[in-house]
Amino acid sequence: MDLGLKGKIAVITGASVGIGLAIAEGLAAEGTDLVLAARGGERLEAEAARIAEKYGVNAAAVVADVATAAGTEAIIAAAAEKGGADILINNAGTGSNETVMEAPDEKWQAYWDLHVMAAVRLARGIAPQMKRRGGGVILHNASICAVQPLWYEPIYNVSKSALMMFSKTLSTELIQDNIRVNCVNAGLILTPDWIKTAKQLTAETGGNWEGYLQAVANEHAASKRFGTPEELANVFVFLSSERASYCIGSTYFVDGGMLKTI
Ligand code: NDP
């Protein structure tokens, strides 16, 4: 199936590892040029160069913290330099661990800035570029936790839920400019970070990190396995394409059967 993504320009935040990197590769495989953002420059620049070489696309690396206005401005400027973006994937984010009773205001604010304000600021800067180019696609990587919380991470649950509502609200405002906005809620996706955590948690009890991950999958997902970043990226790539032209203002779950409601 030709997805018609060749020659498009995609901005992807959190693109140096894990899910963002898999989406970058998935789009590059379709011939999409990339503007990739993350805070750590070394890893990001190495991946941008590798992807450009492997797929023959243009891949720019922007070292930026999306939780700050200056960071999002740098990303918007980098996209403008390329003539504007057609696709924006708001992917940068991270889990949390706290209780509502103990977490300070600063922590709530930091996650609000990372998960919500980054998407707000990037939409304000990049949607006008898309409009000038005749339309575009904005995708938000929220989480199944936006609707089905994990109790150890209330700030993550709440801020991802806000991102999901932002996606819905934005979609109505931007469809008049032919910009389709959607949200994806993933379940357990096996990124290097999960492996690192599993290794840390099992280090003092025999090191069976694979057993730990299997137990997590058994507990949460009907499929009893983690998804791969590529399995999730496939959905982002499809939603980025014209083949998803009637997908507007929705949230798509990619969770191996983890969602417990209809
Ligand atoms: P990783 O921790 O593996 O990667 C996160 C990426 O985001 C890195 O490139 C990191 O680079 C970048 N990043 C983090 N903070 C910032 C920031 N402030 N500014 C710019 N870049 C940033 O995460 P995953 O791939 O696991 O997750 C990606 C997204 O998917 C997240 O939003 C997460 O909540 C969501 N998700 C993940 C699931 C999973 O099971 N893995 C399940 C459901 C949702 P650097 O540190 O250099 O900035």
Side-chain angles (χ1 to χ4, degrees), residues 123-198:
R124 275 199 311 244
I126 288 182
Q129 298 177 2
M130 292 176 172
K131 185 179 176 184
R132 281 194 290 278
R133 292 166 72 85
V137 172
I138 299 178
L139 300 177
H140 297 103
N141 190 3
S143 165
I144 193 170
C145 293
V147 303
Q148 181 172 287
L150 287 170
W151 302 118
Y152 61 83
E153 50 182 354
I155 298 182
Y156 184 77
N157 299 331
V158 171
S159 57
K160 288 291 189 173
S161 207
L163 177 62
M164 187 177 154
M165 179 55 86
F166 171 69
S167 185
K168 179 66 185 165
T169 308
L170 184 70
S171 74
T172 307
E173 196 171 315
L174 292 188
I175 193 58
Q176 62 202 5
D177 297 325
N178 193 31
I179 298 169
R180 295 187 297 102
V181 182
N182 286 292
C183 183
V184 175
N185 282 352
L188 303 171
I189 304 298
L190 193 53
T191 53
D193 203 44
W194 264 107
I195 294 172
K196 193 172 112 197
T197 305

Side-chain angles (χ1 to χ4, degrees), residues 4-246:
L5 287 165
K6 198 170 166 48
K8 301 276 187 197
I9 298 173
V11 171
I12 307 171
T13 69
S16 59
V17 68
I19 294 164
L21 179 59
I23 296 170
E25 290 221 46
L27 286 171
E30 297 297 322
T32 307
D33 290 328
L34 304 170
V35 176
L36 306 177
R39 291 165 305 176
E42 206 173 310
R43 184 169 61 173
L44 182 71
E45 277 152 18
E47 291 297 354
R50 184 183 62 77
I51 289 173
E53 164 83 20
K54 183 171 174 188
Y55 298 100
V57 297
N58 191 312
V62 186
V63 178
D65 182 348
V66 297
T68 66
T72 53
E73 275 160 25
I75 296 166
I76 294 159
E81 220 171 85
K82 305 270 168 211
D86 305 293
I87 298 160
L88 166 62
I89 314 276
N90 283 300
N91 165 76
T94 193
S96 67
N97 195 329
E98 64 279 320
T99 63
V100 176
M101 289 304 114
E102 284 168 13
D105 288 3
E106 293 73 23
K107 188 166 187 186
W108 284 94
Q109 189 63 51
Y111 276 82
W112 177 256
D113 289 341
L114 173 60
H115 289 156
V116 184
M117 287 315 296
V120 172
R121 291 172 175 141
L122 288 172
R124 275 199 311 244
I126 288 182
Q129 298 177 2
M130 292 176 172
K131 185 179 176 184
R132 281 194 290 278
R133 292 166 72 85
V137 172
I138 299 178
L139 300 177
H140 297 103
N141 190 3
S143 165
I144 193 170
C145 293
V147 303
Q148 181 172 287
L150 287 170
W151 302 118
Y152 61 83
E153 50 182 354
I155 298 182
Y156 184 77
N157 299 331
V158 171
S159 57
K160 288 291 189 173
S161 207
L163 177 62
M164 187 177 154
M165 179 55 86
F166 171 69
S167 185
K168 179 66 185 165
T169 308
L170 184 70
S171 74
T172 307
E173 196 171 315
L174 292 188
I175 193 58
Q176 62 202 5
D177 297 325
N178 193 31
I179 298 169
R180 295 187 297 102
V181 182
N182 286 292
C183 183
V184 175
N185 282 352
L188 303 171
I189 304 298
L190 193 53
T191 53
D193 203 44
W194 264 107
I195 294 172
K196 193 172 112 197
T197 305
K199 284 183 175 168
Q200 281 166 356
L201 290 175
T202 55
E204 285 172 11
T205 53
N208 183 11
W209 60 272
E210 283 155 314
Y212 170 83
L213 290 173
Q214 188 58 55
V216 171
N218 291 347
E219 182 186 349
H220 291 291
S223 56
K224 300 205 182 328
R225 70 172 180 88
F226 277 69
T228 65
E230 292 71 28
E231 285 179 294
L232 180 58
N234 288 338
V235 178
F236 277 91
V237 172
F238 174 74
L239 287 172
S240 296
S241 80
E242 266 305 300
R243 298 286 179 171
S245 51
Y246 206 52

